[in-house]
Amino acid sequence: MAQLLIIHHTPSPHMQAMFEAVVSGATDPEIEGVTVVRRAALSVTASDVLAANGFLLGTPANLGYMSGALKHAFDTFYYPCLDSTRGRPFGCYLHGNEGTEGAERGIERVTTGLGWEQAAAPVIVSGAPSKDDIQRCWELGATTAAHVMGT
């Protein structure tokens, strides 16, 4: 069975709402043959990443950059997974109250270095997530899981 790994840092109610929508989309009954595994960014291991066929990344934009937790996760698994995870699909969702550009660039650089393939446009939310934002998170989860289902 294929595996979708959600690596997330979820410290706020806004991030929690986005996370729940992503999980709901990824676990939609129409997605068959995909197990969804959730790992907090501070607890994910290289073994978790190596076992996955695709990834969803969730982070707040703190001071214009991805959270320290997600950066730590990348630092933990980057080199052990560098050659073994190329071409795997990923998606990401970010929440920020101001300026998310640095977080977007950081994630883009790391995932490009890893050779991961973007399965869907990132979902970027400022302020409280609207109903449309939550729907976009659901679609991100479903789309990324569908890419994993096709692997």
Side-chain angles (χ1 to χ4, degrees):
M1 182 165 298
Q3 187 179 101
L4 174 63
L5 177 62
I6 302 175
I7 303 169
H8 65 99
H9 182 61
T10 308
S12 69
H14 297 324
M15 283 300 300
Q16 184 68 35
M18 295 171 71
F19 171 73
E20 289 173 6
V22 164
V23 170
S24 178
T27 58
D28 185 271
E30 291 188 29
I31 306 292
E32 297 176 347
V34 177
T35 300
V36 176
V37 176
R38 303 160 199 136
R39 292 286 184 267
L42 290 175
S43 67
V44 71
T45 66
S47 295
D48 293 327
V49 174
L50 289 168
N53 302 90
F55 314 95
L56 277 164
L57 310 169
T59 183
N62 294 329
L63 305 172
Y65 198 65
M66 73 180 92
S67 70
L70 185 59
K71 175 66 169 78
H72 173 76
F74 282 138
D75 288 346
T76 299
F77 68 73
Y78 187 88
Y79 286 109
C81 298
L82 182 59
D83 294 323
S84 301
T85 61
R86 290 193 180 282
R88 295 184 188 174
F90 83 97
C92 69
Y93 60 100
L94 294 92
H95 178 269
N97 291 320
E98 296 179 24
T100 60
E101 300 83 11
E104 294 170 58
R105 277 192 307 275
I107 291 169
E108 180 181 342
R109 285 183 183 131
V110 174
T111 55
T112 297
L114 287 164
W116 293 358
E117 301 291 330
Q118 193 167 3
V123 175
I124 300 162
V125 177
S126 294
S130 68
K131 184 177 179 181
D132 287 343
D133 294 330
I134 296 300
Q135 179 62 32
R136 290 186 307 128
C137 287
W138 188 95
E139 291 167 1
L140 174 69
T143 299
T144 307
H147 278 272
V148 170
M149 185 171 68
T151 60

